[in-house]
Amino acid sequence: MIPYLTENTVFGCSLAPSAIIRCREGNNRKVTYNGVNLLTTGAKAQVKVGICPILTAQAQGAPQPCRCSLGTWRGFKRNVTFRQSMPFLTEKSFNVCTVCGGLIRVKASMNFKVGDGNDLDVSAVNWLHSASRGELPAEDKAIFSRSPEAVAGKEHPAKMEAENPSKARMPLTVNKESPVAIRQRCEEERDEPVLVPLLCNMDQGEKCRTCLYPKASTEVHNDSSVLRKNYENKPEREKDEYDIYYESVLGNKNESYWTNAAHHLISGNQVFKKYPEIVRLANFYNEMKNSGNTTYKGYDINGAANCIMLISKDREYRQKADDAVKKNISAYDAMSMTGIQWHLGGHSYTFAKDEIPIFHQRIKLFTKKEAKELRNYAELVENEMSKIQLSLCQRKVCRNTPRQNAAFVLRMNNLSTKIKKYLAAFREKPHHSYPYYVSLEAFRYTFGLPRTGKIAVVKGGSNDENVVLEKYRVKRFEETIINKDANLAFNPICHPSEINPQEFGLSDEVSRKACIFFCENIEHFIEIGSVDVNKLPFQVDSKHILKLPDCSGKSTEKILQSHDTEILVFLRNSTSSYAAPVRKIKERLSEAGL
C-alpha cells in the first residue's frame, strides 16, 4: 500500500542534492496524522534550505539560496480525495520546480498507510464509504479490509460524533463513481507516462505524445579508451595548436618516461552524470542519429572534441607508491620537462587548510585576481554545466529538431574548447591555466611551490672536526617552464667582505660565532656526502635537512642542479615562518651560549 504524506515530509531536488524542501498544506486542515496535516495537491513549498547550483551559476558563482516554486503535482491517487476534489499525495508523488527545472521528490517522510493500524485522528476522518469497495486497485483494497475501529484502535467515529457532536469532521472520501469508471481510471493512471524534468516546452500536441525524448536514457557511458581512439582518429585538419605541440613534445623524446592519458574535458562520471536532464537530451539525439536519421548529429561525451591528451605516471611510478616525495618529484619533473598538466590523482581533489592561505596569496600575485573561493576541476566544470542547464530551462522550445541538436552540440563543444584553452596555456606559464587544473599536483606545482628561498650546503672540511658551508638563494624560473635545462636557479649569496664558501673549525668560540653569523636566518640545510649537520653550533630541525649523495668531480652548483626538483619538493614540504636575520642570529647565539 502506498504511504500518504504529511507536512513533516522532506522533499529533495534533483539539481540540488543538498537542498531540503518542506511543504505546507493549503486546503486540508482537518485530516491529520499525529496532529500533522496530510498533504494534498494544494500543497506549496514553504521551507527551502540549501544552495541552488542553477541560480548560483547565473549569479557568476555567488551562492544563491533555493527559491523553489512548485508547479502541478503528479503521481497521486485520484480515487482518494479531500472534499472529493483534492487528491492526497503519496510517496510516489512528485513535482517540477518552476525556477530551476529540478525534479522534486520525497527525500524522507513521516507517513502513514491508511488501514495499516496507524494512530489516525479519527475525530477528523470519516472512513471511506464501502459502496465502492469491490473495484479499487488491489493495493487500496486493504483500506477496507478491517473495520475503522480495528484499524485506528478507537471507537467508531459515528459513535464518537454522537457523544461529542461539537467535533467537526472533514471527510476522507472515495469519489462515488461506478466500478467500471474506477477501473478505467486506474488503468489510465497506470498507462500515464511518468513526468520527468524536460528541457522543452511540451506544447506540440500529437508530436509531443509520440516524441521519444521523455523516454530517453539518463545513463552515461564514460569510456577513456573510446575517447583515446576517437582522438587518434581525428583528422589532421581538425587538430589545434595544442594537439600539434603535444605530439611534438612526446614524439621528440627517444625514450618515453611518462605515460599519456586521454582526459575528458567535460568529465563523464564526475560532472556530466550529475545533469540527467542534459544527459537525457544528449542520449535522445544519439538515438535519433543511430536510427538512421542523418539530419541529427547526436552528442558523444567520448568524442574527440571533448578530449585533451595529458601526461600521467612514469614507468617506475608503482615502485614509489609509498613514497609521497618521490611521487611529487615524478609529477614535477614531468610537468617541468613537458609543459603539460599531470593527470593522475582525480578531479574532485580537496585543499589542505594550511595550503589555502599560500594559494590565495600566490594566485593574487601571479594572476592579479582575487580568489574568493578555491574550486577543484570538477566543481568548475559543474558550474559551467549549470549555466548551460539554466539557459535551456529559461528558453524552453521543442528540442526534437536537427537545428536544436546542432545548437546543443555547438554549446557543449564550445565548453570543451574553452576548458582546453585553459589547460593548453600551461605550456606557456603554469598560472595561465588558472583556474583549471585537472589534478591537485598540477595546482600545487603552479601555486604551492616556493618561488624563492635560501639554503646552506654543508660539506666535510679538511678534517673530521671542520665543515664547509656554502649558501645560495634559490629561485624558480618564472618566465617559462619550457626549454629550460633546470627548474631552479642557484645563485651564491655574496656579501661585501664575506667569503662564500667558507670553512669553519667549530672547535673554538670565535669559529662557532662566525658560523652563526654566516648562516644568518637560513633554515634549510643540504648535506652532501658523509657530513653531519648536527656539528653546527645550533639545532636544526630534522625536517629542514636534505641528504644528497656526493658526486666527485662535480661542483656544488652542478650537484644541486641535478637534484633541483627534489630540492623544490623539500622546500615545499618544510616551510617555516620568516624570521629576520638579526633576530635569528640572536636566538642562535643564545642557544649556543655565546
Side-chain angles (χ1 to χ4, degrees):
M1 189 178 302
I2 302 174
Y4 293 78
L5 307 180
T6 71
E7 288 181 333
N8 285 339
T9 301
V10 175
F11 294 89
C13 176
S14 63
L15 300 185
S18 62
I20 294 176
I21 302 166
R22 294 180 72 171
C23 295
R24 180 175 176 80
E25 174 54 38
N27 297 286
N28 168 40
R29 288 290 181 271
K30 293 296 182 180
V31 181
T32 65
Y33 170 61
N34 287 343
V36 184
N37 295 326
L38 271 65
L39 296 178
T40 70
T41 50
K44 301 296 181 183
Q46 184 184 42
V47 179
K48 297 157 257 185
V49 179
I51 301 300
C52 177
I54 303 299
L55 297 179
T56 298
Q58 187 180 28
Q60 303 300 317
Q64 298 295 309
C66 171
R67 296 199 290 267
C68 178
S69 178
L70 300 178
T72 303
W73 285 99
R74 302 291 293 274
F76 47 80
K77 303 299 292 183
R78 296 182 180 179
N79 57 298
V80 182
T81 66
F82 171 69
R83 287 181 175 172
Q84 301 188 5
S85 61
M86 304 297 294
F88 286 92
L89 302 183
T90 72
E91 275 196 335
K92 291 187 177 181
S93 300
F94 52 91
N95 210 312
V96 174
C97 175
T98 58
V99 177
C100 71
L103 186 63
I104 309 300
R105 288 187 283 204
V106 174
K107 203 171 192 178
S109 63
M110 293 293 291
N111 53 58
F112 75 94
K113 297 181 180 180
V114 177
D116 248 16
N118 291 296
D119 187 19
L120 296 177
D121 185 352
V122 294
S123 66
V125 178
N126 188 16
W127 294 96
L128 302 173
H129 299 293
S130 60
S132 305
R133 181 177 306 177
E135 299 301 330
L136 290 175
E139 61 184 11
D140 284 334
K141 287 182 180 180
I143 295 176
F144 309 101
S145 63
R146 292 176 289 172
S147 66
E149 302 89 74
V151 171
K154 297 185 178 182
E155 295 187 22
H156 194 282
K159 181 178 179 181
M160 294 181 64
E161 183 181 28
E163 294 177 353
N164 190 356
S166 62
K167 287 189 176 182
R169 296 181 290 109
M170 290 297 170
L172 179 68
T173 66
V174 174
N175 293 335
K176 294 183 178 180
E177 298 178 277
S178 68
V180 175
I182 292 177
R183 185 185 298 111
Q184 182 177 356
R185 175 170 295 181
C186 292
E187 290 176 354
E188 289 175 355
E189 285 185 5
R190 283 193 289 269
D191 294 337
E192 185 177 3
V194 177
L195 179 64
V196 294
L198 301 176
L199 302 174
C200 65
N201 52 11
M202 290 293 289
D203 64 355
Q204 300 296 311
E206 183 61 31
K207 182 179 179 181
C208 289
R209 282 190 286 273
T210 59
C211 182
L212 299 177
Y213 169 35
K215 299 178 182 178
S217 168
T218 56
E219 291 185 18
V220 176
H221 302 285
N222 190 82
D223 193 325
S224 295
S225 61
V226 176
L227 182 75
R228 177 188 293 272
K229 183 177 180 180
N230 288 334
Y231 172 82
E232 292 172 349
N233 292 333
K234 183 163 66 172
E236 288 294 326
R237 65 178 182 278
E238 295 182 9
K239 293 183 178 179
D240 57 22
E241 290 182 6
Y242 176 84
D243 296 331
I244 297 172
Y245 168 81
Y246 165 80
E247 292 175 359
S248 66
V249 167
L250 296 188
N252 289 336
K253 295 188 179 300
N254 295 327
E255 294 184 21
S256 178
Y257 294 95
W258 299 278
T259 57
N260 52 33
H263 168 66
H264 287 84
L265 292 159
I266 301 175
S267 305
N269 290 328
Q270 291 179 291
V271 178
F272 195 52
K273 186 180 289 185
K274 292 184 178 181
Y275 296 84
E277 295 78 11
I278 295 180
V279 174
R280 187 191 308 279
L281 188 59
N283 286 341
F284 164 66
Y285 288 140
N286 289 334
E287 290 175 7
M288 296 297 290
K289 174 186 177 182
N290 295 335
S291 67
N293 192 332
T294 56
T295 58
Y296 284 83
K297 304 303 178 184
Y299 175 74
D300 188 3
I301 193 70
N302 300 312
N306 193 42
C307 179
I308 184 173
M309 298 301 295
L310 301 174
I311 54 173
S312 188
K313 55 190 176 184
D314 60 26
R315 291 177 176 177
E316 300 178 355
Y317 194 81
R318 291 184 178 179
Q319 301 174 14
K320 308 170 185 176
D322 298 326
D323 192 328
V325 172
K326 289 183 178 179
K327 289 165 69 176
N328 291 156
I329 294 171
S330 292
Y332 300 156
D333 273 341
M335 287 185 278
S336 176
M337 293 183 67
T338 64
I340 299 173
Q341 287 199 26
W342 183 256
H343 184 261
L344 200 66
H347 311 315
S348 297
Y349 47 83
T350 56
F351 302 97
K353 289 184 179 180
D354 58 339
E355 291 181 310
I356 291 176
I358 299 174
F359 290 156
H360 278 291
Q361 181 184 16
R362 290 177 179 168
I363 288 171
K364 184 177 181 180
L365 177 64
F366 299 130
T367 69
K368 312 303 179 186
K369 298 177 183 178
E370 287 283 355
K372 296 180 180 179
E373 181 183 3
L374 296 181
R375 296 185 179 184
N376 59 46
Y377 182 85
E379 291 171 334
L380 291 166
V381 182
E382 282 180 32
N383 187 60
E384 294 297 329
M385 288 291 293
S386 294
K387 292 178 182 178
I388 291 177
Q389 178 150 307
L390 178 63
S391 176
L392 294 172
C393 286
Q394 290 180 334
R395 186 175 178 272
K396 289 192 173 184
V397 298
C398 177
R399 304 292 178 191
N400 191 355
T401 65
R403 181 178 179 180
Q404 284 297 317
N405 182 190
F408 175 79
V409 172
L410 178 63
R411 180 171 292 182
M412 296 295 289
N413 287 348
N414 283 346
L415 175 56
S416 297
T417 301
K418 172 184 175 180
I419 298 171
K420 186 175 183 179
K421 285 182 179 179
Y422 277 100
L423 299 184
F426 193 84
R427 70 189 191 276
E428 303 162 1
K429 293 183 180 180
H431 66 263
H432 284 182
S433 284
Y434 180 77
Y436 288 92
Y437 297 91
V438 299
S439 67
L440 181 59
E441 288 307 329
F443 196 102
R444 280 177 169 170
Y445 179 81
T446 307
F447 300 112
L449 298 180
R451 254 46 191 186
T452 185
K454 293 191 291 186
I455 61 171
V457 176
V458 185
K459 291 182 174 181
S462 57
N463 59 57
D464 292 340
E465 297 297 325
N466 291 8
V467 296
V468 175
L469 294 178
E470 295 181 61
K471 53 185 179 181
Y472 292 87
R473 181 170 295 280
V474 182
K475 185 179 180 182
R476 187 180 178 199
F477 285 113
E478 296 295 338
E479 296 303 319
T480 179
I481 62 172
I482 301 303
N483 299 325
K484 294 289 185 182
D485 294 329
N487 199 35
L488 297 178
F490 297 92
N491 300 320
I493 298 175
C494 297
H495 297 305
S497 69
E498 184 180 67
I499 301 174
N500 183 25
Q502 193 170 155
E503 184 170 351
F504 298 91
L506 304 179
S507 59
D508 59 86
E509 184 176 311
V510 175
S511 294
R512 292 198 300 272
K513 191 172 184 179
C515 176
I516 291 174
F517 273 93
F518 182 84
C519 291
E520 301 178 298
N521 62 341
I522 294 174
E523 295 277 8
H524 298 90
F525 293 81
I526 297 178
E527 298 178 351
I528 295 182
S530 56
V531 65
D532 189 358
V533 172
N534 293 322
K535 289 183 179 180
L536 299 178
F538 51 86
Q539 187 70 31
V540 179
D541 192 330
S542 60
K543 70 177 183 180
H544 292 163
I545 302 173
L546 175 66
K547 295 181 179 291
L548 295 180
D550 190 8
C551 298
S552 301
K554 280 189 176 182
S555 66
T556 301
E557 191 171 345
K558 289 290 186 182
I559 295 174
L560 295 177
Q561 290 285 7
S562 63
H563 295 275
D564 64 328
T565 309
E566 187 175 351
I567 294 171
L568 193 60
V569 175
F570 162 65
L571 294 175
R572 188 201 77 181
N573 291 341
S574 58
T575 56
S576 58
S577 56
Y578 174 79
V582 173
R583 178 182 173 184
K584 199 67 181 179
I585 290 172
K586 186 177 180 179
E587 290 177 359
R588 287 173 172 172
L589 287 172
S590 176
E591 180 185 338
L594 299 174

